């Protein structure tokens, strides 16, 4: 069972602070954010697989205390008792692991450098974990604090009185260098620890400037045991540096890095850190920026725990994709491309897995952050130009994880909603290219069985892993490409992609009433078992993938011969067994364990394939079931604490699900301009848009026991449809719901009330 805990440390009082110029009380939204949300995770069981990220929104570098070993994906685990360093990280999830990571660690007393000996014990009581500020007082008295800039961090180490005081720099293995400049109180270096997605010369160049003189210094190597040397330079597989300071002092360290060069790292230092001399200045700047972003949604009412969960999730929705660009001396953006390994002018973003995030993250971003999103969309086309493929799982180059061509979804969704910062013709040419051939790295670059998908109408199960999941996702992806082509008036592309948008029908087996693996001779995969994971699917079973017809839910209803069967199947998801069969995985993977623990039948909210399913009742004339279920999920499967998620958080996706669901909306089919209506969480929410307009969402009589929409008004006019369009929202909207403890069986049941589907109702 997932226990819902109310965390004492979050029961803070409401503290308004005065903004310096306006003199008007502004809310400190950061008070609600707990960055430890989801950190109680391990290999066998994910409660988020997050770490206490210290960062600016979409910052180029993140920072975190590190409890795990270097190169271990579990960077910080809530149950761990010792911290080994304060680390620059780019990790999306333990399953991707990290790249370009290095760390600093204060040490007092005896000089020890390696990650085992230098680790210090701590207690969560003595820890503060916020986006803009992290601090921990170790059991032996030493205190460490840090606050971020976009590419750097300001660290402060307070050493115990009368004890020798050191700072260790750990540049990690797989290639590193350190060079010490004692007069300038500076250490520069690089760390590589790259992954297979980038070239061999990829490195992260860092600059560290201390405010205290070095009493002594040296370098260390860790190949097989520590080798110390009183030198100012070391370069090898695994090197580090150490500096000694006056006993019991306070040391400030300004740390920054670049993916381009040490010179560029110095430039970044000038831009972000040079003129600041206290942690407080950096902390306050970071707090102001976070409050600006978090203040885009002002929540009123709800419980303290609901607000804490909401803002902790909202914080996590604003970390990825990462800004991968840096400013040169002329203040122009430029970046090291993880796709062609050259330096280019402009903006690049990375560290993003679209299989997870096309669903809720980007449909949320197009509402809240259209300017940044527009830059991101152009950078996807640049990535294609530089590498020959659209990104799917960029980390930082093409990492090849998961399946589908979901850049189609993200690009089309932006374009149809009017974010047209990129050339549609270039995007469509890229999509056609990627839809026609298999890529070089992993199933998510290009398309597996591209020709067979077009010729047979599905990806055959013989010879192709995850064949039915791919068929479903490619059908949807091609719909997205078609939408973009239609909007851009590119008839040839529209016709090309239109040929495959109904291919999902070819993997529906009317006998078992499930999507099912199908062989190239047309026969069905033998020994069908709807509880078996893997096989024709990925990270799920037939119960989860049945709903992956995002663009044609009515078509799926028609395949199932009507609303009655469709609704019965939706209901069954929650009432059938929560058992699983390990299938082709051959062992229990954490997603299986988490589904079992959720104890809502086959509803596996801890992974992405089924996350839109609760919204599908609105297509079949029973929207009240959506309203009840989404509130149940928000209430039962999320909280603000270390157990805050019911599975992997995944670069903002599972957090964004909560944020957008709390708005009473969800984007079942990105690539259309519609948001399906669920059940708003709070009595009132005000969304401040970049265009200066507001979306005000009011829900009278709202509480968990009153999840049902009795009636709804948009700008004073009653409406019954189960969706709102992007333009209705973006021109400013006043949405008023009257909530009830009883379903309104008359509202939202007409055909015109249903959200978009390709197919019309057949009977
Ligand atoms: Ca996942």
């Amino acid at each position: 069972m997932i226990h819902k805990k109310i965390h004492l440390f979050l029961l803070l009082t409401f503290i308004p602070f005065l903004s310096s110029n306006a003199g008007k009380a502004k809310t400190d939204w950061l008070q609600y954010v707990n960055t430890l949300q989801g950190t109680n995770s391990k290999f066998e069981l994910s409660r988020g697989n997050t770490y206490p990220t210290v960062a600016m929104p979409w910052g180029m570098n993140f920072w975190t205390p590190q409890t795990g070993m270097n190169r271990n994906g579990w960077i910080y685990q809530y149950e761990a008792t010792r911290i080994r360093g304060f680390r620059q990280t780019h990790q999306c999830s333990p399953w991707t692991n990290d790249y370009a990571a290095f760390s600093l660690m204060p040490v007092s007393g005896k000089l020890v450098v390696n990650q085992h000996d230098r680790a210090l014990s701590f207690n969560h009581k003595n820890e503060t974990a916020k986006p803009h500020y992290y601090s921990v007082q170790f059991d032996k008295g030493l205190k460490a604090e840090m606050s971020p800039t976009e590419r750097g961090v300001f660290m402060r180490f307070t050493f115990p009185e009368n004890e020798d005081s050191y700072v260790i720099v750990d540049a990690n293995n797989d290639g590193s260098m350190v060079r010490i400049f004692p007069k300038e109180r500076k250490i520069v270096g690089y760390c590589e620890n790259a992954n297979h997605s980038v070239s061999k010369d990829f490195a992260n160049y860092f600059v560290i400037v201390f405010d205290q003189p070095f009493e002594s210094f040296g370098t260390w190597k860790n190949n097989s045991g520590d080798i110390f040397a009183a030198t100012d330079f070391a370069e090898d597989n695994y090197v580090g540096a150490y500096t000694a300071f006056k006993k019991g002092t306070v040391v400030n360290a300004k740390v920054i890095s670049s993916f381009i060069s040490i010179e560029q790292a110095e430039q970044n230092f000038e831009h972000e850190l040079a003129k600041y001399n206290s942690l407080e200045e950096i902390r306050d700047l970071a707090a102001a920026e976070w409050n600006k972003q978090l203040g885009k949604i002002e929540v009123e009412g709800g419980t303290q725990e609901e607000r804490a969960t909401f803002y902790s999730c909202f914080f996590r929705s604003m970390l990825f994709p990462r800004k991968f660009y840096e400013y040169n001396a002329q203040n122009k953006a430029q970046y090291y491309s993880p796709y062609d390994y050259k330096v280019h002018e402009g903006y690049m973003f990375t560290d993003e897995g679209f299989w997870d995030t096309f669903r809720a993250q980007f449909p949320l971003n197009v509402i809240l952050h259209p300017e940044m999103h527009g830059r991101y969309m152009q950078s996807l086309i640049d990535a294609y130009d530089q590498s020959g493929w659209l990104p799917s799982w960029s980390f930082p180059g093409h990492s090849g994880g998961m399946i589908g061509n979901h850049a189609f979804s993200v690009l089309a969704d932006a374009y149809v909603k009017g974010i047209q910062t990129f050339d549609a013709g270039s995007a469509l040419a890229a999509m056609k290219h990627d839809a026609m051939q298999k890529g070089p790295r992993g199933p998510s670059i290009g398309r597996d069985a591209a020709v067979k998908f077009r010729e047979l109408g599905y990806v055959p199960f013989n010879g192709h892993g995850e064949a039915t999941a791919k068929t479903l996702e490619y059908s949807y992806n091609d719909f997205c490409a078609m939408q973009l082509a239609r909007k851009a008036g590119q008839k040839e592309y529209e016709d090309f992609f239109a040929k495959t948008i109904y291919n999902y029908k070819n993997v529906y087996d009317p006998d078992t009433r499930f999507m099912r693996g199908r062989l190239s001779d047309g026969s069905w995969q033998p020994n069908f078992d709807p509880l078996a994971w893997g096989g024709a699917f990925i990270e799920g079973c037939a119960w989860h993938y049945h709903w992956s017809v995002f663009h044609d839910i009515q078509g799926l209803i028609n395949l199932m011969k009507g609303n009655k069967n469709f609704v019965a199947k939706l209901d069954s998801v929650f009432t059938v067994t929560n058992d699983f069969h390990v299938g082709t995985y051959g062992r229990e993977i954490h997603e299986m364990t988490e589904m079992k623990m959720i104890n809502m039948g086959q509803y596996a909210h801890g992974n992405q394939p089924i996350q839109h399913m609760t919204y599908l009742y609105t297509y079949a004339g029973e929207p009240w079931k959506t309203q009840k279920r989404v509130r149940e999920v928000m209430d039962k499967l999320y909280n603000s604490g270390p157990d805050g998620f019911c599975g992997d958080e995944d670069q903002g996706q599972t957090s964004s699900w909560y944020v957008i669901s709390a708005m009473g909306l969800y984007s079942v089919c990105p690539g259309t301009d519609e948001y399906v209506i669920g059940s708003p969480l709070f009595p009132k929410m005000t969304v401040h848009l970049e265009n200066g307009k507001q979306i005000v969402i009011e829900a009278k009589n709202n509480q968990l026991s009153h999840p049902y929409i009795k009636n709804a008004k948009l700008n004073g006019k009653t409406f019954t449809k189960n969706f709102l369009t992007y333009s209705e929202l973006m021109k400013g909207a006043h949405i008023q719901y009257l909530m009830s403890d009883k379903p309104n069986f008359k509202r939202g049941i007409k055909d015109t009330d249903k959200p978009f589907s390709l197919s019309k109702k057949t009977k």
Side-chain angles (χ1 to χ4, degrees), residues 159-194:
F159 291 92
E161 266 181 64
N162 299 322
E163 284 202 37
D164 288 334
S165 308
Y166 302 95
V167 173
I168 311 302
V169 176
D170 183 336
N172 222 328
N173 68 349
D174 271 359
S176 46
M177 182 275 273
V178 289
R179 189 184 290 279
I180 304 171
F181 298 89
K183 251 202 279 176
E184 287 96 338
R185 304 168 185 177
K186 182 161 94 173
I187 298 173
V188 304
Y190 65 75
C191 65
E192 292 180 339
N193 57 98

Side-chain angles (χ1 to χ4, degrees), residues 259-496:
F259 293 111
I260 296 171
S261 63
I262 287 181
E263 294 69 36
Q264 180 61 44
E266 301 269 14
Q267 191 66 54
N268 295 344
F269 186 89
E270 285 305 310
H271 276 295
E272 295 183 14
L273 285 167
K275 66 176 178 190
Y276 301 104
N277 293 308
S278 76
L279 181 119
E280 282 73 15
E281 288 171 280
I282 298 292
R283 187 195 64 193
D284 293 350
L285 286 170
E289 179 57 24
W290 272 113
N291 272 319
K292 188 176 138 199
Q293 295 298 341
L294 293 165
K296 284 181 173 172
I297 302 182
E298 290 186 59
V299 156
E300 292 173 49
T303 64
Q304 174 76 22
E305 174 57 18
E306 283 167 342
R307 289 193 294 273
T309 304
F310 179 83
Y311 284 103
S312 298
C313 284
F314 193 19
F315 153 71
R316 290 222 169 266
S317 81
M318 293 188 278
L319 292 173
F320 302 99
R322 170 186 317 293
K323 293 174 178 174
F324 208 64
Y325 53 88
E326 308 170 45
Y327 292 100
N328 67 12
Q330 289 73 47
N331 224 16
K332 271 205 165 137
Q334 55 173 354
Y335 61 90
Y336 164 89
S337 167
Y339 300 105
D340 70 359
Y341 320 132
K342 295 182 187 136
V343 176
H344 298 266
E345 272 192 17
Y347 301 96
M348 179 51 67
F349 296 79
T350 189
D351 294 353
E352 189 56 66
F354 290 151
W355 185 82
D356 297 311
T357 50
F358 82 85
R359 302 159 201 264
Q361 175 73 83
F362 295 109
L364 177 65
N365 284 9
V366 295
I367 296 174
L368 297 177
H369 322 293
E371 188 190 1
M372 187 200 74
H373 195 61
R375 283 179 180 168
Y376 184 31
M377 295 303 97
Q378 176 56 47
S379 84
L380 296 179
I381 307 299
D382 294 337
Y384 177 81
D385 290 342
Q386 291 160 17
S387 70
W389 303 93
L390 284 168
S392 261
W393 229 122
S394 37
F395 184 66
H398 295 300
S399 78
M402 298 311 288
I403 59 164
N405 305 115
H406 297 298
F408 297 16
S409 167
V410 182
L411 285 163
D413 191 51
Y415 200 85
V416 303
K417 288 171 180 166
I419 299 178
Q420 300 178 353
T421 50
F422 56 93
D423 177 54
S426 306
L428 288 161
M431 290 173 181
K432 187 171 175 187
H433 168 272
D434 284 15
M436 292 293 279
Q437 58 222 297
K438 194 171 159 63
R441 246 182 219 157
S444 75
I445 316 289
R447 182 171 287 186
D448 190 20
V451 176
K452 287 175 190 157
F453 175 71
R454 295 189 73 80
E455 285 176 358
L456 277 176
Y458 57 94
V459 177
F461 179 67
N462 43 323
H464 300 281
E466 306 113 9
T468 296
K470 284 172 182 162
T471 300
L472 295 169
E473 294 185 15
Y474 295 161
S475 301
Y476 162 66
N477 296 151
D478 287 356
F479 163 79
C480 291
M482 183 194 78
Q483 287 282 96
L484 200 164
R486 184 173 287 171
K487 186 86 181 178
Q490 303 252 9
K491 188 78 173 66
E492 236 174 86
Y493 284 117
E494 184 183 338
D495 294 345
F496 172 81

Side-chain angles (χ1 to χ4, degrees), residues 355-356 539 591 606-608 648 650:
W355 185 82
D356 297 311
E539 290 186 0
E591 286 91 350
N607 205 18
Q608 282 70 27
D648 288 340
D650 284 331

Side-chain angles (χ1 to χ4, degrees), residues 66-70 82-85 105 107 112-121 168 170 220 222 225-226 238:
Q66 175 184 342
T67 62
M69 298 267 286
N70 282 359
R82 298 197 310 162
I83 288 172
R84 301 167 197 271
M105 181 69 188
V107 165
V112 284
V113 293
N114 71 60
Q115 58 179 324
H116 311 286
D117 297 339
R118 71 182 189 232
L120 294 175
S121 61
I168 311 302
D170 183 336
W220 55 281
N222 187 331
D226 302 329
Y238 185 174

Side-chain angles (χ1 to χ4, degrees), residues 695-696 712-719 721 723-725 728-729 731-737:
I695 307 168
V696 179
K713 286 180 182 171
L714 175 63
N715 302 326
K717 271 180 73 179
T718 298
F719 72 99
K721 60 182 184 158
F723 62 93
L724 291 166
T725 65
E728 282 172 331
L729 296 169
K731 64 188 177 206
H734 186 193
I735 308 159
Q736 292 165 290
Y737 297 105

